[in-house]
Amino acid sequence: MTYYDQHLHTHHSYDSQADFTDYLDNSTGFVVTTEHFDVANPVTGHTDAPDYKTYSAEIDRLNLKYGNRILKGIEIGYYQPKEAEILAYLADKTYDLKLLSVHHNGAFDYLDDFVSEMDFDTIFSPYLDELSVAIDQNDKIQAHVLAHFDYGIRLFDVTPTELDKHKSKLIEIFQKMIAADLAFEINAKSTHLYHHLPLYTYALKMVLELGGTLFTLGSDGHKLEHYELAFDELKTWLKAQGVHQLVTFHGGSRHVVTI
């Protein structure tokens, strides 16, 4: 099986205008979109959830034309005070791929411009606590992948040395991630648009030392220009770190792909 992007968005996400055909017409093989589900989203002032019926109907229609190449996915933005709403939404829906993320703390999204002016440790420490709580609940959420571990600090120009101050918490989070059978995502938008490749080198080494074996590569693409962003470069980088296999998710099963 050829590896395919494990983190994409279309117009079914509140912050994307992409169409399925943007990706389908510029690729072969499977396309899976992981549409945003963010409860109490401070960016929009309300819960943003893809209309599952409309989403599924568009996929069914296009799959007739494109040979069943489209898979269903969702990116679950965990927010503990609204956990009941999250679980209620997911209860009657089926996805090939579910990403677990933390995007906001109820007051602001971590990509709001003013966050970059805040104190790094003041942001990162509670963000890690929120990420830890999200992973704790994965027995109920049943996600497959922990997405962009660095989302809370994407706007910061930081070094691995600064992450090292939070090493014990990161170890705890990655241990929980591995125990929860969550794959660790290499997020190409983080590595190449936010220039966090050194942070991923640091984190990946830690995950490997803890015994992690499940990894995905996702562009976090919201438009065609980001589709499979820097994948060739990142696959070479992964192999240099000792990772030679990635995983994909399809029909409730996990598939291993050699890179």
Side-chain angles (χ1 to χ4, degrees):
M1 180 185 290
T2 302
Y3 188 77
Y4 53 96
D5 201 330
Q6 296 289 284
H7 192 156
L8 287 172
H9 298 275
T10 70
H11 61 92
H12 291 281
S13 293
Y14 76 92
D15 57 354
S16 174
Q17 295 301 315
D19 290 320
F20 288 104
T21 53
D22 294 340
Y23 306 124
L24 289 163
D25 290 339
N26 289 278
S27 67
T28 58
F30 289 119
V31 168
V32 61
T33 71
T34 49
E35 310 297 353
H36 279 302
F37 172 36
D38 284 286
V39 293
N41 187 354
V43 176
T44 61
H46 54 73
T47 288
D48 287 285
D51 184 312
Y52 186 76
K53 183 177 180 180
T54 303
Y55 175 66
S56 299
E58 184 171 4
I59 288 175
D60 290 344
R61 176 175 59 81
L62 287 170
N63 269 338
L64 292 174
K65 178 180 178 181
Y66 285 91
N68 293 316
R69 287 176 54 203
I70 311 173
L71 305 177
K72 293 179 186 175
I74 191 166
E75 181 178 4
I76 303 158
Y78 185 81
Y79 176 51
Q80 195 278 328
K82 295 290 184 178
E83 181 185 293
E85 182 179 343
I86 293 170
L87 296 177
Y89 176 85
L90 295 172
D92 61 348
K93 299 171 180 65
T94 302
Y95 297 97
D96 293 284
L97 173 61
K98 294 195 286 187
L99 309 182
L100 180 62
S101 303
V102 171
H103 292 132
H104 70 81
N105 61 7
F108 55 82
D109 188 284
Y110 288 105
L111 288 187
D112 284 343
D113 290 341
F114 64 83
V115 173
S116 64
E117 304 301 320
M118 300 177 72
D119 176 70
F120 170 75
D121 292 316
T122 300
I123 289 292
F124 197 39
S125 184
Y127 168 75
L128 291 177
D129 289 338
E130 292 156 11
L131 206 57
S132 183
V133 171
I135 297 169
D136 285 340
Q137 304 310 311
N138 198 51
D139 59 330
K140 293 179 277 188
I141 296 168
Q142 294 293 294
H144 305 105
V145 178
L146 179 66
H148 43 47
F149 88 99
D150 64 319
Y151 187 90
I153 54 168
R154 266 183 172 177
L155 298 184
F156 291 87
D157 182 15
V158 295
T159 66
T161 300
E162 288 164 288
L163 290 197
D164 212 45
K165 301 174 188 176
H166 301 269
K167 185 175 181 179
S168 60
K169 176 59 73 171
L170 285 166
I171 288 173
E172 175 189 315
I173 285 170
F174 294 147
Q175 286 174 329
K176 288 182 177 183
M177 176 191 76
I178 293 166
D181 215 24
L182 283 163
F184 179 72
E185 178 191 77
I186 310 303
N187 186 284
K189 184 177 285 186
S190 288
T191 61
H192 280 67
L193 299 186
Y194 290 94
H195 311 295
H196 278 186
L197 185 59
L199 305 189
Y200 276 80
T201 302
Y202 172 92
L204 181 57
K205 182 176 185 291
M206 186 180 292
V207 172
L208 288 168
E209 288 176 347
L210 291 169
T213 59
L214 303 177
F215 303 96
T216 64
L217 179 56
S219 68
D220 202 352
H222 288 64
K223 54 186 177 180
L224 177 59
E225 294 93 313
H226 293 159
Y227 175 67
E228 293 195 350
L229 177 68
F231 269 29
D232 288 342
E233 181 181 339
L234 284 167
K235 287 176 183 178
T236 299
W237 168 82
L238 278 164
K239 287 186 278 190
Q241 312 307 309
V243 175
H244 298 274
Q245 293 181 326
L246 297 171
V247 291
T248 63
F249 299 87
H250 183 183
S253 298
R254 186 169 65 212
H255 304 270
V256 177
V257 181
T258 300
I259 57 175

